[in-house]
Amino acid sequence: MTAAGPQEFEKGRSAGHAQTLSAVEAALWARDMPKAMTLSERAVGEGTEHPTLLSLAALGRMRAGANDSALPLLLRARQQMPNHLDLLYALGECLSRLGRPREAVEAFDAAIKVKPEARSHFGRALALEDLSELDAARAGFERTLALNPAQSAALSRLALLAAQRSDLKAARELANRALAIDVNDVTAGIAMAHLDVPMRFCGQDW
């Protein structure tokens, strides 16, 4: 048996990746995200540069907390799909987790330019908070709520910002709204804790 030449090898590799893509698509249709990410990670290990497989492998790494190794995959995928909404959002999220909020804002801005979704505005606002750009962060959380009024996380972040600037009435209202949506919202509870100290000190019953 003779060794395969370069063209035959390339055809074999392409066919293998096509099979992987089909398997990944089937996993996604079945809502089996872990399987899709595992298959994609294996393909990346075999040298694929397909942007979908790069992106899914990156998401798997992010889920495992390996954000530093996920970032290069996302950047390589973005070179091929510069306007892919989910990819841009994942890139912003990854950069935020890596403590690079300015770059995260840029990624979320790009996602918002493609489609102004609540999740991208929320991620952008969190990054702006990390940059201590609190007025811009507050505007971002408000925009998030304009797109998704039921997002308790945006309400609780606004409550915390209000408490930090001593706007106790607004903080209490926002925190209560957040807790009405999600009784386990930790940030809303923290905002309430901020309220508790000055209220008790002033002898007020909130």
Side-chain angles (χ1 to χ4, degrees):
M1 183 175 64
T2 60
Q7 290 182 336
E8 288 76 10
F9 178 79
E10 188 63 30
K11 287 179 182 178
R13 188 172 69 171
S14 298
H17 288 168
Q19 291 175 355
T20 299
L21 282 169
S22 296
V24 167
E25 183 179 9
L28 292 174
W29 275 107
R31 299 184 183 275
D32 190 348
M33 194 65 166
K35 182 177 180 180
M37 293 186 295
T38 298
L39 290 169
S40 298
E41 180 65 40
R42 185 182 306 158
V44 168
E46 294 171 352
T48 185
E49 286 295 319
H50 193 286
T52 298
L53 300 178
L54 288 170
S55 300
L56 286 168
L59 289 176
R61 295 183 186 190
M62 288 173 66
R63 283 195 177 186
N67 299 297
D68 53 346
S69 67
L71 181 59
L73 302 186
L74 293 170
L75 293 173
R76 279 152 54 191
R78 188 185 184 184
Q79 289 179 344
Q80 301 178 65
M81 300 191 303
N83 297 314
H84 192 283
L85 180 62
D86 292 334
L87 171 58
L88 292 169
Y89 175 79
L91 179 59
E93 180 70 18
C94 186
L95 288 164
S96 289
R97 294 182 185 185
L98 289 171
R100 296 162 65 171
R102 181 59 66 194
E103 294 169 85
V105 168
E106 295 172 359
F108 288 126
D109 280 339
I112 290 167
K113 187 175 180 180
V114 174
K115 185 179 180 181
E117 292 185 335
R119 61 174 181 169
S120 296
H121 279 285
F122 183 74
R124 182 179 186 274
L126 288 175
L128 289 167
E129 261 195 312
D130 289 340
L131 291 165
S132 297
E133 297 180 17
L134 300 185
D135 288 340
R138 184 165 67 249
F141 292 132
E142 289 170 350
R143 181 58 181 158
T144 301
L145 288 173
L147 293 167
N148 181 12
Q151 185 162 338
S152 64
L155 286 165
S156 61
R157 298 308 305 184
L158 285 171
L160 191 57
L161 288 173
Q164 290 171 350
R165 66 176 185 272
S166 299
D167 188 347
L168 305 184
K169 180 179 179 181
R172 181 172 55 184
E173 177 186 351
L174 289 161
N176 281 330
R177 286 172 60 192
L179 291 169
I181 296 169
D182 181 4
V183 70
N184 296 314
D185 192 309
V186 175
T187 306
I190 294 173
M192 283 295 201
H194 274 266
L195 291 172
D196 190 28
V197 174
M199 289 290 190
R200 285 192 287 109
F201 182 77
C202 295
Q204 300 181 44
D205 183 9
W206 56 276

